[in-house]
Every structure is written in structure tokens, then in C-alpha cells.
Amino acid sequence: MYRPWLSLTLALVVTIFLSACTTQAPPTPISTITSNSSTQLNIKSANRIVALSSLSADIIAQLDQTKLVGISGSSLFKNDSRFQAIPKVSEGQSPPNLEKIVSLKPDLVIGAAGFSDPILQKLNQLQIPTVSTKINSWQSLEAFTKQIAQAMNVDSAPLLKRYQSLIASKNSRNLSTLVLVSRQPILTPNKNSWAGDLLTQFGAKNVAADLQGKSPIGGYVTLSAERILAANPDILIVVNAEPTLLDSLKKESFWNRLKATKNNQVYVFDYYGLVNPGSLEAIEKACSQLKDILTKQ
């Protein structure tokens, strides 16, 4: 997935939830891993894996880097020595190169549900095993790690232990929290998103957790100024998915009327880690920030 610097909210929608925009039929992969899936991978030994998302590439590299033979280019790994010698099957916003993937002779290709649908469909037609993942909760992160480790014949326990260390402290300050990811419209995650679930892991009172709306983006709802004022959160988190989002929000009539702004409880988070999990380092950074803000010291 790519960082949405192109056109504010539209880019955010395309970046995170491209599946809503595709007109192609979804692929029929070997396995689909979602937050509630107990599906087991029908692969006895995956030794040559191409990862089409930064998160899956990072997890595989953590488990056994020698089995990662291809990745999609990501700004997250620009200076990461682990990935410098691994062939890239795409760069920037270009789609993955089918011929290049095939030339790597993978016994498994891992893509992100929605975003990777077209290429997974073509790979399935070539009888190349694929997995489509949807990491939208902590549970789905752990489920994917366990299942891909099993397919790779490696031990997932050390990595799962590392995950647990990130959310071990849950002594919440019990403060109401609102996350804003865009301005036009104003979008916020409910409990059915990675960001919403991450707030839950730290005991945050996400004021939008149970809200539902007509937003085309799964796991996100639109808010009016009136609804934000009615929620009046203790903590306000602004995600830098839009370069000027914080400055733009400060111009809204509701901004200076909120408890969070009056008490200087406004925090800026990176897009990767909180909205798009991106990589383990990004997740760790987001968890560290949430721990500092939401738990008692």
C-alpha cells in the first residue's frame, strides 16, 4: 500500500480500501485470512514467497528472510538493509508486474484483500498459490502470523511474544478519544478498523467505536461538526495522511471549543502504524505513542 499524498481524502480512500473501486471479480485464492477466519493454508511448505504488501513482507522477513524472494516497493523499507537485495515486483503506484512475479518462481504470493485482487486473479489462473489477507485487527495480525509461519515451517512464538509485549500494559486512563484522518469529509475509525481495534487494545474510549454510517470506506464513518462537539473528546488524535490536515482542522469552527484542544491534548500520529499497519516498526511506534497517551504512568 502507498502513502496517500496525492489528493487528500480521495487518495486515502484509494490507498486503504481500493476494493471498493475495482470492477473486476475478486480472486479465488488458496486462502483468505481475515479478522475472524480460521482458514488454514493448504500449503505444506512455502519456501519462495512474494509479498505484495509491506506488512506481509516484514512479517515473513522476521520469520525467515531467506524465504522472501520478491516484494512490492515501499517507502517504509527505503533504508532497510534487509530488503535492498530482494527483487521488487512493483514501484511507486504501478501495479505489480505479473511477468516478474512469475519469473521468481514463487510457491506462494501474498496480497492484500481488495488492493491485490487483480494480480491475484491472474496468478490463480496460472496455478500459482496465493493468499489474500485483511489485517484490520490485532486478532487478524496474530492469525496471519501463525498461519504463514506454519506454511513456512517456522516457529511463530517469538514474533507473537513480541506482539504481546506491545500491548501488555492496559492500565487505561479511561479518557474519551477521537481519531481524525481527513477533513472533507471528516472521517474517523469505528471499532471495525485497524485503528479502532488498536484503540481498544489500549482501553481507549473511542467515541466513534459503535457508530455506523454511509461512508464507502469499511471501518470508517463520517462526522459532522455537531457530532464532534457532542462527543467533545478528552483526547484528539490527528493522522498525518494529509500533509496539512492539522492546520486545516484548526480552521474549523468546532476546533477551539473541544476539551482536547483547550487542554492541549491533541496528538499527531503517522499514517503508517495507526491507519495502515504498514510494518512492525510502524506498529511499534503507534503502540508506544498510544501507551504514553492512554495509560497511566
Side-chain angles (χ1 to χ4, degrees):
M1 298 187 180
Y2 312 101
R3 196 177 187 84
W5 297 124
L6 298 179
S7 61
L8 303 182
T9 305
L10 177 60
L12 181 69
V13 173
V14 173
T15 301
I16 313 171
F17 306 101
L18 194 70
S19 58
C21 304
T22 182
T23 58
Q24 297 192 36
T28 306
I30 291 294
S31 179
T32 298
I33 301 175
T34 62
S35 58
N36 298 313
S37 175
S38 59
T39 304
Q40 297 299 312
L41 302 184
N42 298 319
I43 298 170
K44 294 181 179 180
S45 182
N47 295 309
R48 297 185 59 82
I49 304 174
V50 172
L52 301 181
S53 75
S54 57
L55 181 59
S56 60
D58 196 10
I59 290 173
I60 292 163
Q62 297 287 342
L63 292 169
D64 185 347
Q65 186 175 338
T66 66
K67 297 187 178 184
L68 187 61
V69 299
I71 61 173
S72 289
S74 171
S75 60
L76 288 171
F77 300 145
K78 186 176 181 180
N79 299 314
D80 194 324
S81 60
R82 295 176 302 161
F83 301 100
Q84 299 309 305
I86 299 176
K88 295 179 176 60
V89 299
S90 69
E91 286 286 358
Q93 300 221 7
S94 62
N97 185 299
L98 178 63
E99 290 74 17
K100 195 165 188 178
I101 294 174
V102 174
S103 72
L104 294 171
K105 299 180 179 179
D107 48 34
L108 179 62
V109 178
I110 301 174
F115 189 82
S116 304
D117 285 357
I119 192 69
L120 294 186
Q121 181 73 67
K122 294 176 182 178
L123 290 166
N124 285 334
Q125 292 171 355
L126 296 173
Q127 302 300 307
I128 295 176
T130 66
V131 170
S132 177
T133 65
K134 184 178 181 180
I135 309 300
N136 61 356
S137 68
W138 202 265
Q139 178 188 0
S140 60
L141 174 66
E142 292 182 331
F144 170 69
T145 301
K146 290 177 183 177
Q147 293 181 37
I148 196 61
Q150 183 178 18
M152 294 169 64
N153 291 319
V154 297
D155 185 11
S156 63
L159 194 50
L160 293 173
K161 185 177 180 180
R162 178 177 169 188
Y163 294 169
Q164 286 302 310
S165 71
L166 301 178
I167 57 173
S169 176
K170 296 185 180 181
N171 189 15
S172 175
R173 296 167 62 195
N174 202 35
L175 298 175
S176 59
T177 305
L178 178 65
V179 177
L180 299 179
V181 301
S182 68
R183 182 188 178 198
Q184 295 180 337
I186 298 173
L187 285 173
T188 187
N190 62 21
K191 63 184 178 182
N192 299 318
S193 64
W194 170 260
D197 187 75
L198 201 55
L199 291 178
T200 300
Q201 297 300 324
F202 285 88
K205 292 172 57 180
N206 179 8
V207 298
D210 297 314
L211 296 182
Q212 300 296 325
K214 297 180 179 180
S215 169
I217 306 175
Y220 283 74
V221 294
T222 57
L223 293 180
S224 63
E226 293 74 20
R227 207 163 192 178
I228 293 175
L229 284 169
N232 199 16
D234 298 304
I235 300 290
L236 192 58
I237 294 175
V238 177
V239 178
N240 65 0
E242 299 172 10
T244 60
L245 179 57
L246 181 59
D247 290 337
S248 297
L249 288 171
K250 287 180 178 179
K251 298 176 183 178
E252 295 285 351
S253 59
F254 63 78
W255 185 261
N256 291 322
R257 299 162 63 186
L258 299 174
K259 283 190 295 183
T261 54
K262 290 178 180 179
N263 297 328
N264 197 30
Q265 295 295 301
V266 179
Y267 302 90
V268 177
F269 275 59
D270 193 28
Y271 164 75
Y272 288 113
L274 186 63
V275 174
N276 177 346
S279 71
L280 297 187
E281 183 178 357
I283 293 171
E284 287 175 339
K285 180 181 177 182
C287 287
S288 178
Q289 288 180 277
L290 289 172
K291 181 178 179 180
D292 290 342
I293 296 168
L294 298 171
T295 63
K296 295 179 180 178
Q297 304 301 312

